[in-house]
Amino acid sequence: MNTEQQSTGAAGPPRERRRIRLYTLAAAVLAAVAAGCASENASTPAATGTVVSTNASTPTGTSASPDASMRPGMQMPGMTQAAAPSASALMVCGPEIRADVVKILAPPHAPTTTTTWTDHLYTCTYHLPGGQLVLSVKESPNTASADAYFQSLRKQLGTTTQLTAAQGLGNPGYESASGTVVILKDGKTLRVDATGMPAASGPHQLSRADLAYEIASDILGCWSE
């Protein structure tokens, strides 16, 4: 969120909002450590180029066996590392982040999700009553390609504001006032796109930018566990 602009549901002046953001990120990291975000029950990825629909309780539309969940560092049976999303990428559609989305937005019913895995880009779309929240992770094979993808997204978004080192937990990142946050960590580019959500969402009437940042900080907390 551009610190020179006021957003619907934003709390106080820019300095106060920055303080709250740092507190939110610290709380997310502590919660991740306490709850364990290793996501041993991570959702099974879709086959390349396909879409999988899921609900909050039982995934559907995939032929994977019930015990085919991936632990950190594991690969899907019969698939090479390059052919399957990593466990950390799967977290964006896993039970911990799904629970965070429900807690933050308090929808009347659990959201359904659709996932895709194409060209090393894992995307999870949360279908909510007010709109769509799209989380994606691009897995790059090396630092150069990760940096190039990270910068290409910034050009696509147009005007952005760089996150401070504290806001990104030591990782480079930026955000758009329209509601997108992008953070690069260990060759993985996380993008949280809340532009498809209402101008004010959830019980706390979060702006799109603040919603995107809160979800991104939760994911980063899990990744930094």
Side-chain angles (χ1 to χ4, degrees), residues 47-106:
T48 302
T50 63
V51 177
V52 172
S53 297
T54 65
N55 56 39
S57 55
T58 305
T60 60
T62 176
S63 59
S65 60
D67 58 351
S69 59
M70 295 175 63
R71 297 186 181 186
M74 290 182 64
Q75 300 176 19
M76 288 295 296
M79 302 179 77
T80 65
Q81 178 109 18
S86 66
S88 55
L90 292 172
M91 284 182 187
V92 301
C93 220
E96 293 87 0
I97 301 305
R98 186 191 298 273
D100 286 343
V101 170
V102 171
K103 182 178 180 180
I104 293 167
L105 297 176

Side-chain angles (χ1 to χ4, degrees), residues 15 34 43 46 108 152 174 214:
R15 182 177 298 176
S43 304
S152 70
Y174 50 83
E214 187 156 351

Side-chain angles (χ1 to χ4, degrees), residues 58-191:
T58 305
T60 60
T62 176
S63 59
S65 60
D67 58 351
S69 59
M70 295 175 63
R71 297 186 181 186
M74 290 182 64
Q75 300 176 19
M76 288 295 296
M79 302 179 77
T80 65
Q81 178 109 18
S86 66
S88 55
L90 292 172
M91 284 182 187
V92 301
C93 220
E96 293 87 0
I97 301 305
R98 186 191 298 273
D100 286 343
V101 170
V102 171
K103 182 178 180 180
I104 293 167
L105 297 176
H109 52 78
T112 59
T113 59
T114 55
T115 63
T116 62
W117 170 244
T118 305
D119 192 25
H120 307 289
L121 178 67
Y122 182 69
T123 303
C124 176
T125 302
Y126 286 81
H127 302 276
L128 294 144
Q132 294 186 346
L133 177 65
V134 184
L135 315 182
S136 65
V137 179
K138 175 72 171 183
E139 307 209 68
S140 302
N142 52 58
T143 301
S145 59
D147 288 341
Y149 183 78
F150 180 73
Q151 295 302 332
S152 70
L153 283 185
R154 190 164 198 171
K155 290 181 179 178
Q156 291 176 24
L157 291 174
T159 302
T160 59
T161 300
Q162 185 170 329
L163 297 178
T164 66
Q167 288 173 334
L169 206 63
N171 303 291
Y174 50 83
E175 60 185 345
S176 71
S178 60
T180 299
V181 171
V182 179
I183 296 174
L184 175 61
K185 178 177 173 61
D186 299 332
K188 295 178 176 61
T189 304
L190 169 67
R191 177 176 181 172

